[in-house]
Amino acid sequence: MLKILYFGKTSFALRYNEIVVVLNPGIWDGKPIVPDDFSARIVVATNQSDDAVGNAASIAVNSKAWFLGNQGAADKASEKGVKPWLLHVLKPEVPYEVPDLKITPYELSRVDESEGGRIENLGLYIEIGNMKIGYLGDTEIRGPFEQLDMDVLIVPVGGDGVFPVKDAVSLCIDAKPRLGVPMRWSSDEDPKKFAKYVQQFGQGITPVIIEPDQVLEVHWAAGNEFRYELN
Amino acid sequence: MSEKRKVVIDLEESEKVQLDGFSELNSVDASGVLSVNNVSERSRIWNVKVLLGSTRDKTDIDEDTVSAGEIDVGGKWETNYGIKVEEPILTFKEVFDTCGTIETEQPHWAYVSGKENPVKITLTVTNETDEELDNIILNKTIAPELTGIEIVSVKSGTAEYDEGTKQVVWKDFVIYPHESSQLVISATGVVEDTNPKKSGDVVITYRGEGQQRSALEPDLNALTEFLTGIETAETEPNQWQCTLECTNESDLVVRLDKAEVFLTPEDGGEKEKMIDEAPGVELAPDQEWAKSFEVQSKSTPKCTQDLVYTPIGTIKKRVLGTIEKAAQEIPVYSIEYSKTFDPPSVNSFDKTPVEVVVEVTNNGSAKLNEITIEDQLPDDVMPPTSEHVTVWIRNEEYSGPYEFMIDPEDQDPETPHKITFRVENLKDSGGELEPGESIKINYAVMAWRSRPEKEYPSPVVCTANTDPAGIPVVMQSPEDGHKIGVIYKKRAISTKKAINKGAGAGEYIVVLAVSNNGEVTAENIQVTDWIPAGFEYVSTDPEDEEPEVVSAGDGKSMVWKWTRMNPGDKKKIRVTVQGEGEYERREPEVSSI
């Protein structure tokens, strides 16, 4: 069973057996979303912004975990004390693989709202256990994700340099994952609209809003029946 | 020979009836005038007393006997009284149906604004008594908004419409006991504003000859010119014949009720009644009545008399009635609507959820029982599903029954759809929509790759009706109304190509860089690159971007198809080809929507 713990914003932890992967443990308004002492095997930041890298270095150092990210994120993590031997730079479309886990990054980007232009960002196609998770991080483009076979697709919906609701819904409709999960919303209305539109226009897709500190459990019952539970 | 005149006791009773706009009884007031008319041409009557007894119970007359004093020749005495009654003797019902062409159990009670209302007015009068009613005249005022007045049918009498006075007058008929008569009028009502109108009042007058609302049965007791005397004539010595003689000296008929004669004995003993009659005889003017007895007496007998008589009265009575029915208020039903899109415009070639809100407001003066909204969705729009509509009535979410239909019943964005929302029988599910209140529906549609050169009108038709349903009021947009705006976003697919030498002999690496530099997502992108004759496709990096390789006459073509590229999306493909000869360069072709 895969457990997906949501911390808020774009921060998640994926737990499968002994593997714990933390995604984008960002710092927002000066406060970390994920506790420094959160125990993880792998910490991933999809871009170098504070709201993605955040306290990833602290978590990685405390847990002696691997840090994964694009070059910008890796540089930042290194500055913050992650040992070089625990750093792994993710290259677009080059998978990172350990037992029960395969992460394939894809080159995406987000808008840099403070300085203009774009910030490189990686979308992650995560095969963990027997589940396929799409995690777009902070992105305003969809890249190849509409063509990937996914059980769970986690997309930003806030519109502040990343997908607004309409583009997140549009990607869900095209990609047809089993579950569509919104993240990084700017208002409480964003995830509700996402869920409403996906339910209405995404035939066969179930929207799931995970509130911070809730856990989404997904598994294959009898090996072929997809089931999920939100706790 | 003198005419036989009788004193007339006249009961003229009136009832005045007030009905409300729906012909319900508001009040009925009855009163009467009791008069005694001395119809004599030469005789006064005096000591006149009207005897009522217990028959005065339903009236406000205090005494069983009412003194009328002296009434001169041709004179009249009268008194007024009130009568307690519950119902009139003539009942009336007006049915003002604003939509007479649609038969319903209850009449339609409101005009639809801006349309021709086929009004049908049915007036029914019923005689509730055991006697005939006559002198009936009904005046129906016709409201100014009605035209084309026609008398459809009249059961009895005559009915005519007077254009000058705007009145229908129905008269010249009687109604037999417990029967009804009916007049049916048709007209066309047209109202352009929403202020309540009036149906026009009705006034009816009628007469019930020989009828009365009280139970009075008056009798008369009076004196008039009446000559009486006792003639004593000796028929033999000491044998006398005494004769009581009465003569009606008046020109009225007088009834002699009692005639008594008493003889005083010669020795002064107790009087002896010699005539004791109650003849009850009616004496015509100048008619005489006599009665005799024999008595022996040495002297002339001494007799005294006691007579009771009275002029005879005859009762005449009638009821005069008036019914005034107030005009019925006729409200007007009317609606207005608004329709909004949020966002009002969508980016071209994009998929965008659009919130649609249609609000129908009752801006008339009548309550509405059903509302229908028909919304036409153009193509390139995915319709909602029926479970995703939200309805508010009076700004509160409505959970009562309604219909929400989508035709055709699918979510195919390539075909137009018609959405129909209908809520009926509001009176039983939260109450009818009062004037000023509104009903609002919201649903989302998905604008589906809207093209900038096209227009996407989404016209709407809103209808409403009352209970019972008549002609619906309709508000609709023009056929090309309510367009979903399309913001044109420029498309720009960039394709760059490089041909590099590979590691081995005859091996080339063709690098293709495709990027969406435009402002809008591109879809169904197809990139085609040519491989010259003599060269073969070997492999692609990344592997999952392997093209479809097809023959192209003078070589082969590699074809890549991508369903979508967002602004900023890039693809870089390295194709390895192997062959002999010069690798000629041709520019790749790209197409998209």
Side-chain angles (χ1 to χ4, degrees):
Chain A
M1 176 181 291
L2 172 64
K3 295 183 178 180
I4 303 174
L5 168 63
Y6 185 41
F7 295 98
K9 300 298 184 183
T10 56
S11 304
F12 288 84
L14 311 183
R15 184 188 298 274
Y16 180 76
N17 293 338
E18 299 303 313
I19 297 176
V20 178
V21 181
V22 173
L23 303 172
N24 280 359
I27 291 178
W28 295 76
D29 299 326
K31 293 180 183 173
I33 301 289
V34 182
D36 285 348
D37 58 356
F38 188 81
S39 179
R41 282 274 300 279
I42 295 168
V43 182
V44 187
T46 60
N47 63 74
Q48 71 268 32
S49 302
D50 275 350
D51 54 29
V53 176
N55 60 338
S58 301
I59 297 168
V61 168
N62 289 341
S63 301
K64 297 184 174 57
W66 285 95
F67 177 89
L68 278 58
N70 63 4
Q71 189 63 57
D75 292 346
K76 208 159 191 176
S78 180
E79 287 169 17
K80 290 188 174 180
V82 175
K83 301 302 180 189
W85 55 86
L86 290 177
L87 273 176
H88 180 88
V89 177
L90 292 172
K91 304 282 187 189
E93 300 175 32
V94 177
Y96 168 86
E97 212 163 348
V98 295
D100 287 334
L101 176 69
K102 180 180 178 185
I103 300 176
T104 307
Y106 290 94
E107 194 175 5
L108 304 176
S109 68
R110 62 182 283 191
V111 173
D112 186 344
E113 291 201 308
S114 57
E115 297 182 13
R118 287 181 176 272
I119 300 173
E120 293 298 318
N121 172 71
L122 295 175
L124 307 178
Y125 184 66
I126 305 168
E127 295 163 84
I128 182 167
N130 47 8
M131 288 291 165
K132 297 163 189 157
I133 311 296
Y135 176 82
L136 273 74
D138 303 293
T139 188
E140 206 208 12
I141 60 176
R142 58 170 60 182
F145 277 83
E146 69 189 23
Q147 297 165 339
L148 301 180
D149 176 26
M150 292 172 284
D151 299 308
V152 181
L153 173 58
I154 303 171
V155 285
V157 297
D160 50 346
V162 299
F163 273 165
V165 170
K166 74 179 184 66
D167 289 335
V169 172
S170 180
L171 174 59
C172 273
I173 291 170
D174 291 337
K176 295 185 174 55
R178 297 178 197 281
L179 302 181
V181 177
M183 65 174 175
R184 192 181 166 135
W185 50 79
S186 299
S187 75
D188 291 343
E189 287 301 304
D190 290 339
K192 289 176 186 168
K193 283 185 176 176
F194 170 84
K196 174 181 162 184
Y197 297 146
V198 168
Q199 195 172 34
Q200 192 167 175
F201 303 114
Q203 291 148 350
I205 307 165
T206 304
V208 178
I209 300 172
I210 314 177
E211 297 292 341
D213 299 327
Q214 280 191 313
V215 176
L216 174 67
E217 296 178 352
V218 291
H219 69 283
W220 290 97
N224 61 3
E225 186 179 330
F226 182 83
R227 287 190 184 169
Y228 75 96
E229 190 174 334
L230 186 62
N231 295 307
Chain B
M1 187 176 173
S2 301
E3 189 182 349
K4 289 184 177 179
R5 290 194 172 88
K6 292 181 179 177
V7 173
V8 175
I9 306 171
D10 191 84
L11 293 172
E12 183 166 288
E13 297 183 345
S14 303
E15 62 180 21
K16 189 165 186 180
V17 182
Q18 300 282 348
L19 304 179
D20 68 11
F22 295 95
S23 305
E24 294 297 322
L25 183 65
N26 265 353
S27 66
V28 51
D29 297 319
S31 61
V33 178
L34 167 61
S35 61
V36 179
N37 299 302
N38 182 1
V39 296
S40 167
E41 291 183 344
R42 55 182 169 86
S43 305
R44 282 187 300 168
I45 57 176
W46 62 91
N47 285 1
V48 178
K49 291 183 175 59
V50 180
L51 310 175
L52 300 172
S54 61
T55 66
R56 64 180 176 85
D57 284 352
K58 283 173 65 181
T59 70
D60 59 1
I61 299 172
D62 295 330
E63 304 291 337
D64 288 351
T65 300
V66 180
S67 177
E70 178 181 306
I71 304 172
D72 214 341
V73 172
K76 181 163 86 173
W77 169 92
E78 65 182 29
T79 186
N80 298 317
Y81 58 93
I83 310 167
K84 293 175 195 165
V85 293
E86 302 292 335
E87 301 285 341
I89 60 173
L90 181 78
T91 53
F92 172 67
K93 177 79 177 170
E94 177 183 28
V95 177
F96 194 97
D97 192 333
T98 55
C99 186
T101 53
I102 298 176
E103 284 198 15
T104 49
E105 196 172 324
Q106 296 295 322
H108 306 88
W109 47 273
Y111 290 126
V112 56
S113 174
K115 289 190 176 179
E116 291 192 347
N117 293 267
V119 175
K120 179 182 177 186
I121 305 168
T122 305
L123 308 171
T124 305
V125 285
T126 302
N127 180 356
E128 304 289 352
T129 73
D130 297 330
E131 307 284 338
E132 184 179 295
L133 295 177
D134 60 8
N135 276 21
I136 302 166
I137 300 174
L138 182 148
N139 287 276
K140 163 68 185 170
T141 301
I142 299 298
E145 56 273 5
L146 296 182
T147 57
I149 315 300
E150 286 188 15
I151 307 299
V152 177
S153 66
V154 58
K155 187 174 176 183
S156 53
T158 59
E160 288 179 356
Y161 173 59
D162 184 339
E163 185 72 45
T165 60
K166 284 273 184 185
Q167 290 218 324
V168 170
V169 180
W170 180 21
K171 60 184 180 179
D172 300 333
F173 65 106
V174 298
I175 310 178
Y176 297 110
H178 301 289
E179 289 199 356
S180 298
S181 192
Q182 196 171 71
L183 168 64
V184 179
I185 304 166
S186 70
T188 301
V190 178
V191 294
E192 297 297 344
D193 60 46
T194 58
N195 297 322
K197 308 299 176 209
K198 295 286 185 183
S199 66
D201 55 16
V202 179
V203 177
I204 310 165
T205 57
Y206 50 94
R207 179 187 179 103
E209 191 63 45
Q211 300 204 47
Q212 64 182 112
R213 299 311 321 269
S214 70
L216 291 175
E217 293 178 13
D219 199 0
L220 184 69
N221 195 343
L223 299 178
T224 189
E225 295 166 6
F226 195 71
L227 192 63
T228 64
I230 300 171
E231 181 189 76
T232 51
E234 190 170 36
T235 52
E236 291 177 25
N238 297 329
Q239 184 72 28
W240 298 84
Q241 183 181 45
C242 300
T243 303
L244 173 64
E245 294 176 345
C246 304
T247 304
N248 180 6
E249 293 284 300
S250 74
D251 59 351
L252 299 168
V253 177
V254 174
R255 185 182 67 242
L256 182 60
D257 291 324
K258 186 170 85 172
E260 291 178 350
V261 175
F262 297 90
L263 175 67
T264 302
E266 283 178 302
D267 56 4
E270 191 175 340
K271 286 182 179 178
E272 183 181 359
K273 186 186 284 184
M274 302 304 293
I275 295 176
D276 182 9
E277 295 286 332
V281 63
E282 291 182 7
L283 301 179
D286 300 324
Q287 187 178 344
E288 295 178 349
W289 182 85
K291 187 71 179 178
S292 301
F293 65 89
E294 299 281 336
V295 66
Q296 285 188 339
S297 176
K298 292 175 182 170
S299 58
T300 304
K302 292 179 180 174
C303 296
T304 57
Q305 58 186 342
D306 184 8
L307 298 176
V308 175
Y309 67 90
T310 182
I312 290 177
T314 182
I315 297 173
K316 290 185 178 176
K317 57 187 179 183
R318 76 205 62 81
V319 173
L320 304 177
T322 303
I323 296 175
E324 292 180 358
K325 178 192 170 290
Q328 179 182 338
E329 186 170 89
I330 310 293
V332 180
Y333 55 111
S334 172
I335 55 171
E336 60 185 3
Y337 83 95
S338 65
K339 178 179 178 181
T340 58
F341 297 117
D342 182 21
S345 301
V346 298
N347 292 343
S348 58
F349 304 107
D350 212 346
K351 290 175 186 166
T352 307
V354 177
E355 295 282 350
V356 182
V357 175
V358 181
E359 183 168 14
V360 177
T361 302
N362 179 354
N363 70 339
S365 47
K367 293 184 284 188
L368 300 174
N369 191 49
E370 59 183 66
I371 309 283
T372 301
I373 298 169
E374 293 177 350
D375 193 9
Q376 299 282 351
L377 298 182
D379 57 352
D380 296 342
V381 168
M382 181 185 274
T385 52
S386 56
E387 55 273 19
H388 286 96
V389 62
T390 311
V391 182
W392 294 267
I393 294 180
R394 292 175 277 272
N395 294 319
E396 288 187 5
E397 193 161 340
Y398 172 74
S399 57
Y402 62 82
E403 288 180 71
F404 189 81
M405 295 168 290
I406 301 169
D407 182 28
E409 201 174 354
D410 59 34
Q411 283 195 294
D412 180 2
E414 294 184 356
T415 57
H417 289 78
K418 179 182 176 185
I419 288 177
T420 303
F421 167 83
R422 181 175 296 122
V423 58
E424 298 176 306
N425 207 19
L426 279 170
K427 64 184 171 60
D428 294 332
S429 58
E432 291 166 286
L433 202 64
E434 299 274 353
E437 295 178 344
S438 71
I439 184 168
K440 187 164 65 176
I441 64 168
N442 162 239
Y443 45 85
V445 298
M446 181 75 94
W448 199 269
R449 297 192 312 222
S450 310
R451 301 188 66 85
E453 73 277 14
K454 277 182 74 174
E455 289 194 329
Y456 294 98
S458 180
V460 67
V461 179
C462 302
T463 58
N465 220 319
T466 56
D467 176 48
I471 296 172
V473 59
V474 181
M475 283 297 291
Q476 62 187 74
S477 65
E479 284 191 8
D480 61 347
H482 301 295
K483 290 174 184 155
I484 300 171
V486 180
I487 301 167
Y488 174 49
K489 293 286 186 178
K490 291 178 181 171
R491 292 172 287 173
I493 301 291
S494 163
T495 314
K496 293 175 182 169
K497 178 176 175 179
I499 302 170
N500 301 327
K501 284 291 284 182
E507 183 180 286
Y508 288 88
I509 307 296
V510 179
V511 180
L512 291 171
V514 182
S515 60
N516 181 356
N517 296 332
E519 300 172 318
V520 65
T521 301
E523 299 208 27
N524 293 347
I525 304 109
Q526 179 169 311
V527 174
T528 307
D529 194 35
W530 177 69
I531 301 175
F535 286 86
E536 294 293 333
Y537 167 82
V538 177
S539 64
T540 304
D541 176 27
E543 289 177 2
D544 57 1
E545 294 287 8
E546 186 175 336
E548 181 184 359
V549 180
V550 296
S551 295
D554 58 345
K556 291 188 172 63
S557 283
M558 297 179 288
V559 180
W560 289 267
K561 291 178 181 174
W562 298 293
T563 55
R564 185 179 177 106
M565 286 185 79
N566 275 10
D569 279 1
K570 296 174 184 171
K571 291 181 183 291
K572 197 168 187 179
I573 302 164
R574 291 180 175 80
V575 182
T576 303
V577 294
Q578 178 82 45
E580 291 181 353
E582 186 181 348
Y583 197 93
E584 183 188 348
R585 177 183 175 114
R586 286 188 191 174
E587 294 309 310
E589 294 175 3
V590 63
S591 67
S592 72
I593 60 169

